[in-house]
Amino acid sequence: MISGPSGVGKSTVVAGLRERREFGFSVSATTRPPRPGEVDGVHYHFLGPEEFEERRRRGWFLEWADYGGHRYGTPREPVEAALAAGSDLLLDIENQGALAVKEALPEAITIFLLPPDRETLEQRLRGRADTSEADVARRLAVADRQITEARRTYDWLVTNDDVDAAIERIDRILAASERTP
């Protein structure tokens, strides 16, 4: 599992990892609207709040959380199917979800992607066309909390100071875990 604050570069790092290794990728569900260029079923399963809640009640999610005024969740079936087939699977989820998955699947490897510093994270968030000043402030406050929690709860912390270097560090972590029972 790879987690990290909004704006840290998770999607970019995950895309780079997918070029290096073969693994399944769990497409999360969300109640937030799609950003420009996002495709339903590829980037996220975009659900209305009522549909998300119905699926949550039916146990459709392995984990779910409220984040940034929207709900996010990991569909259970693709994860269980990949694990049953002996396949590696990558989850890109936030802290609360990562902890829930780690509780359900203790063998899961958890990696938290850190920004080089708070100023860089703030610049990245401000550079997004879809992020208001109020949203930047809220996301930074959430990031501060996530980083504090991550230092206590994740198996690995990787700083995304250089995308290629971060991808290389995570690739080495994954390679080492393949050799260690």
Side-chain angles (χ1 to χ4, degrees):
M1 286 174 282
I2 296 181
S3 301
S6 179
V8 78
K10 288 184 304 292
S11 298
T12 303
V13 168
V14 167
L17 283 170
R18 292 183 90 168
E19 292 176 5
R20 289 177 171 232
R21 5 181 95 243
E22 192 171 315
F23 55 80
F25 181 74
S26 174
V27 178
S28 296
T30 184
T31 59
R32 78 158 172 77
R35 293 183 181 133
E38 287 183 328
V39 177
D40 185 47
V42 174
H43 299 97
Y44 284 95
H45 298 288
F46 294 100
L47 307 174
E50 298 81 17
E51 184 177 3
F52 191 100
E53 178 58 22
E54 176 59 29
R55 290 182 184 202
R56 187 197 64 77
R57 277 197 307 270
R58 291 193 326 237
W60 196 76
F61 295 110
L62 179 62
E63 61 79 28
W64 67 274
D66 289 308
Y67 182 78
H70 301 287
R71 286 188 163 183
Y72 293 81
T74 302
R76 177 182 303 278
E77 192 277 325
V79 173
E80 291 175 348
L83 295 177
S87 300
D88 289 330
L89 187 67
L90 180 72
L91 304 178
D92 172 358
I93 57 179
E94 58 79 49
N95 291 32
Q96 182 182 342
L99 295 175
V101 172
K102 186 72 170 181
E103 189 173 305
L105 304 168
E107 69 278 10
I109 299 165
T110 56
I111 300 169
F112 190 85
L113 201 57
L114 293 164
D117 51 57
R118 194 172 195 273
E119 293 76 29
T120 301
L121 184 62
E122 184 173 351
Q123 289 171 359
R124 290 175 184 173
L125 289 171
R126 288 187 191 290
R128 289 182 166 178
D130 66 342
T131 309
S132 69
E133 282 300 312
D135 204 27
V136 168
R138 185 188 51 73
R139 288 181 189 210
L140 287 171
V142 169
D144 291 339
R145 180 184 49 78
Q146 288 176 322
I147 291 168
T148 299
E149 290 172 0
R151 295 186 190 287
R152 294 189 316 266
T153 58
Y154 280 76
D155 299 326
W156 298 92
L157 303 177
V158 173
T159 301
N160 187 14
D161 48 357
D162 173 271
V163 172
D164 292 331
I167 292 167
E168 177 62 30
R169 286 190 287 268
I170 294 171
D171 192 42
R172 285 196 316 259
I173 291 167
L174 298 175
S177 73
E178 293 168 350
R179 295 187 297 270
T180 306

